[in-house]
């Protein structure tokens, strides 16, 4: 990292203007908050992603994963079961189920999916983004969440958040749920005792101001229900998607680290766990993120399709031993965690 180079960068100038602190103070402060809260411990989870359908009709401009009906791949229940079995054999404590918004899948499909897994395997099911919840809800989101919970839903990924500001959402994902709808689904889940993560997809058309707005919204939701287990900043990967043609190649490096630091500072006293995503950031940057406020590096994944579809992500699977080695090499102490910490 060469701070001299970044001084000239507009991104960094804007950071200073909006945040009002220089990058060194921000790094020092975020690192201190993290050390006070989590010491030198860095966690990870052994999990497997299962993307049960890639058919989607929402057409988000940043998506490289979704396919039309002609090219869809929707897994049969037996295929899902096989993947869960394989995950269990590999020591996974969690499976993460997420898919596209497939008009042919209704609530019965999702419930069957949960029951099938829950009846056969002792594993935590982390599943369905707020967008998927809204898609499968027939009227009442609460009732839908209650049904899912009793069918075995353990927790939910707080994905589909992107930037919680409708000016940006209208540009990058006009058919997706609004920021208010995202908050409503998440809040209802929290009220029912279903924990979720919180995410932010950054690095496209949004400004530092909008990133701050997003973080403050997350903090406000957490103050009401305390249902977020962690915050995960996810950089936009501009490969094989329409939005990437507008933004050009990805800005990376110090900016990614500062987003993590900013999250740690804004969410102090509210969300204790900040994740550096190794799939999105790469192994080198994720190591550095541990000194910018991150105390978690996510899951082993076993299979990753969403980020990999862009051709820009670190491909799919980091074994438990490798996770531990990465953490130790960064001078930290690895801790295997469960999904909800
Ligand atoms: S991001 Fe999700 S909702 Fe949007 S197009 Fe891709 S799969 Fe569909």
């Amino acid at each position: 990292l060469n701070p001299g180079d970044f001084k000239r960068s507009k991104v960094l100038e804007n950071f200073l203007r909006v945040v009002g602190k220089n990058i060194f103070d921000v790094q020092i402060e975020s690192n201190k908050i993290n050390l006070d809260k989590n010491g030198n411990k860095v966690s990870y989870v052994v999990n497997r992603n299962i993307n049960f359908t890639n058919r989607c009709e929402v057409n988000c401009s940043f998506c490289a994963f979704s396919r039309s009906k002609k090219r869809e791949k929707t897994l049969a229940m037996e295929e899902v079961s096989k993947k869960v079995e394989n995950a269990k054999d590999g020591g996974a404590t969690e499976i993460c189920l997420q898919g596209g918004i497939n008009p042919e899948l209704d609530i019965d499909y999702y419930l069957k999916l949960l029951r099938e897994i829950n009846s056969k395997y002792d594993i935590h099911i982390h599943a369905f983004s707020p967008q998927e919840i809204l898609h499968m809800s027939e009227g009442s989101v609460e009732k839908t969440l209650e049904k899912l919970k009793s069918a075995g839903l353990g927790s939910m990924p707080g994905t589909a958040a992107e930037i919680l500001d409708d000016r940006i959402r209208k540009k990058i994902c006009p058919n997706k749920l609004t920021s208010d709808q995202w908050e409503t689904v998440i809040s209802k889940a929290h009220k029912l005792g279903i924990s979720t993560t919180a995410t932010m997809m950054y690095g496209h058309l949004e400004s530092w101001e909008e990133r701050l707005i997003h973080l403050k919204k997350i903090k406000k939701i957490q103050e009401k229900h305390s249902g977020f287990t962690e915050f995960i900043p996810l950089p936009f990967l501009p490969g094989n998607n329409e939005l990437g043609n507008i933004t050009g190649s990805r800005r990376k490096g110090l900016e990614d680290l500062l987003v993590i630091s900013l999250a740690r500072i804004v969410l102090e006293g509210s969300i204790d766990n900040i994740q550096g995503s190794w799939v999105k950031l790469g192994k080198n940057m994720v190591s550095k993120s541990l000194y910018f406020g991150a105390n978690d590096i996510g899951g082993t994944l076993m299979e990753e399709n969403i980020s990999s579809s862009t051709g820009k992500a670190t491909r799919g699977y980091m074994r438990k031993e490798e996770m531990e080695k990465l953490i130790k090499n960064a001078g930290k102490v690895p801790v295997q965690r469960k999904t909800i910490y």
Side-chain angles (χ1 to χ4, degrees), residues 269-307:
S270 170
I271 300 181
D272 294 339
N273 303 302
I274 308 288
Q275 185 188 125
S277 163
W278 67 267
V279 175
K280 301 271 189 185
L281 298 178
K283 294 173 187 172
N284 181 26
M285 286 306 282
V286 103
S287 303
K288 292 185 169 59
S289 77
L290 304 180
Y291 289 87
F292 281 73
N295 69 306
D296 184 83
I297 60 168
T300 53
L301 298 181
M302 292 191 190
E303 178 183 353
E304 204 289 321
N305 299 303
I306 295 176
S307 298

Side-chain angles (χ1 to χ4, degrees), residues 114-172:
L114 292 174
R115 288 186 189 122
E116 170 83 11
I117 298 166
N118 204 31
S119 63
K120 289 188 184 156
Y121 308 99
D122 178 20
I123 196 159
H124 182 98
I125 308 176
H126 183 63
F128 313 138
S129 71
Q131 182 74 43
E132 289 171 282
I133 300 291
L134 210 61
H135 162 67
M136 69 179 88
S137 293
E138 293 154 336
S140 165
V141 168
E142 261 136 332
K143 286 206 175 96
T144 304
L145 288 166
E146 274 166 10
K147 282 186 196 168
L148 293 169
K149 192 177 175 189
S150 44
L153 179 69
S155 58
M156 281 167 50
T159 43
E162 325 313 354
I163 293 286
L164 292 171
D165 181 279
D166 291 327
R167 182 187 82 84
I168 294 291
R169 299 180 82 75
K170 274 185 195 141
K171 289 185 181 169
I172 66 170

